Amino acid sequence: MIGIITGSGLYGLSGLERAESTIVDTPYGKTGISSGLLAGNEIAFVARHGDNHEYLPNTVNYRSNIYALKEAGARAIVATSVMGVLDRSLDLARAILFDDLYFPENRLPGGELCTFFTEPGQPGRGHYMFGSPFSSTMRQVAMEVARSIGAPIVEGGVYGHVHGPRFNSRVEIGRLQSLGVTAISQTCGPETVLAGELEIPYLLIGFGVDYANGVSDEPTPIDVLDGNLNLSAQIMPRLLQGITARLSDRPIPFEGFVYRFE
């Protein structure tokens, strides 16, 4: 089973067959999951913002969502997010297949450290270590699928997690640019880390819908932003269908390491 997490503008999965909705109780809260067949392949799906964007980034229960997908049997997670682009040389409306992470605060929205390991002596506690936190196996598959459907992509890039719900100032964006961040959103840093602690391979696919504050001479026009959001809602389901189909019988190794103290 492949776990799927989607973000703004994608609150359901077209083509999901035999869909069943359940509420999973976890030690961290409740998460709604839709399970079924996508292109004939078993998936478990979480809309991180809810059905009607009830959850802003600062109210998403990241620990519960990742834990629930693990409990549902997900052996890997593919996540999507619309993004603000920081690299002016990149065109908008492209899928970005990240290979590195900028999330130095490593905190959840409430200020807690982003970890499942919160108690002294907790079984399975340990240090998550990685070269890249994003699965290279799944990234390669995503590139193959994108090419097969003619979707424009950016191969590699640094994902920058910023805390919301407000957007960033020009000087904040300038600082991130100086550090080599390619694109930003407000949700995927915690997911990346928490999936790693549970040793679940994780792929992040961004979709550039606008340029972040100060990146271009003029702000991205609202009609362009809306058009790119609509385009994302058309392209992402096709990518997800193709990716889950190609992963159905393929081993997906966990490429990081958790040094545990048992």
Side-chain angles (χ1 to χ4, degrees), residues 26-60:
T26 79
Y28 309 97
K30 299 178 185 293
T31 289
I33 288 183
S34 296
S35 300
L37 298 178
L38 186 65
N41 300 285
E42 191 175 9
I43 65 100
F45 164 61
V46 172
R48 71 166 68 87
H49 295 294
D51 294 335
N52 296 292
H53 215 105
E54 298 98 318
Y55 303 106
L56 289 173
N58 58 306
T59 65
V60 174

Side-chain angles (χ1 to χ4, degrees), residues 55-177:
Y55 303 106
L56 289 173
N58 58 306
T59 65
V60 174
N61 191 335
Y62 299 99
R63 283 192 288 213
S64 181
N65 289 351
I66 298 297
Y67 195 94
L69 287 173
K70 177 76 168 181
E71 289 291 290
R75 64 189 181 97
I77 294 172
V78 182
T80 72
S81 179
V82 295
M83 304 267 172
V85 174
L86 275 64
D87 185 343
R88 189 63 183 86
S89 70
L90 297 180
D91 292 333
L92 299 178
R94 275 151 175 69
I96 307 171
L97 305 175
F98 294 99
D99 58 12
D100 210 346
L101 170 70
Y102 184 77
F103 180 37
E105 299 91 350
N106 199 56
R107 291 189 180 275
L108 297 168
E112 299 174 80
L113 287 172
C114 180
T115 182
F116 285 113
F117 312 135
T118 58
E119 299 296 332
Q122 180 177 335
R125 67 195 181 280
H127 301 288
Y128 172 37
M129 298 177 277
F130 52 84
S132 167
F134 304 120
S135 168
S136 64
T137 298
M138 291 196 288
R139 187 167 59 252
Q140 181 61 43
V141 168
M143 285 189 281
E144 294 169 2
V145 172
R147 293 186 186 115
S148 73
I149 65 173
I153 58 172
V154 177
E155 299 181 18
V158 179
Y159 169 72
H161 177 88
V162 295
H163 293 296
R166 75 165 175 90
F167 279 25
N168 293 89
S169 68
R170 287 172 177 261
V171 70
E172 290 166 342
I173 293 300
R175 172 63 174 162
L176 292 170
Q177 286 178 305

Side-chain angles (χ1 to χ4, degrees), residues 10 80-81 205-207 231-240:
L10 196 57
T80 72
S81 179
I205 307 174
F207 195 87
L231 189 59
S232 171
Q234 297 171 35
I235 291 175
M236 287 298 194
R238 296 179 65 197
L239 283 174
L240 292 170

Side-chain angles (χ1 to χ4, degrees), residues 242-259:
I243 291 167
T244 54
R246 296 194 185 206
L247 290 176
S248 62
D249 58 356
R250 184 177 301 198
I252 311 170
F254 176 65
E255 297 168 13
F257 177 72
V258 181
Y259 189 95

